[in-house]
Amino acid sequence: VGGSDERFLCRSIRKLVYPKKGLRADDTWQLIVNNDEYKQAIQIEECEGADQPCDFAANFPQSYNPICKQHYTQQTLASIKSDGELDVVQNSFKIPSCCKCALKTGLEHHHHHH
């Protein structure tokens, strides 16, 4: 664990959750198996202020626009194929993993969408 002199530019909340549904890699929602017999706990880390300016934003050069961005990791969880049917399948889900400070330059016309 780093020293107390470390400061992160984005605050995040870390918690253990038992999700009942989740976002798949293709951005569709899917039901996740979580009941008394079969519990799936995952640790997530969510931005406290997603798309808000990073801490110390005033210290950055004028042309930069530091924004807190939510990052995701892929995690495989047992999920239910479709409503009503109890076909359990392993699916990859997007799990909030950390909050990073992304620097956007003010040059909007150089902007590319990924």
Side-chain angles (χ1 to χ4, degrees):
V1 187
S4 55
D5 56 345
E6 282 188 351
R7 282 297 303 268
F8 293 99
L9 296 177
C10 294
R11 281 186 286 261
S12 59
I13 303 161
R14 189 177 283 188
K15 54 189 172 187
L16 202 66
V17 294
Y18 296 87
K20 296 278 190 188
K21 62 178 184 174
L23 260 184
R24 293 220 314 258
D26 63 359
D27 283 332
T28 58
W29 287 95
Q30 177 115 11
L31 294 174
I32 295 172
V33 182
N34 248 321
N35 52 37
D36 292 339
E37 295 91 63
Y38 195 87
K39 279 189 164 58
Q40 297 186 99
I42 55 169
Q43 181 157 294
I44 65 170
E45 193 172 316
E46 288 182 316
C47 288
E48 218 170 274
D51 300 319
Q52 301 287 326
C54 309
D55 288 351
F56 311 113
N59 298 358
F60 287 93
Q62 286 294 298
S63 55
Y64 288 98
N65 187 16
I67 299 287
C68 288
K69 285 284 173 204
Q70 181 69 57
H71 283 247
Y72 296 87
T73 184
Q74 297 281 335
Q75 197 163 328
T76 303
L77 297 166
S79 57
I80 298 162
K81 203 184 239 172
S82 59
D83 294 344
E85 289 187 46
L86 286 175
D87 282 340
V88 174
V89 289
Q90 292 291 330
N91 251 318
S92 195
F93 288 93
K94 281 163 72 171
I95 308 298
S97 60
C98 63
C99 193
K100 292 183 183 171
C101 184
L103 282 183
K104 283 187 171 169
T105 52
L107 302 168
E108 281 305 289
H109 54 272
H110 281 203
H111 201 253
H112 291 292
H113 278 293
H114 296 299

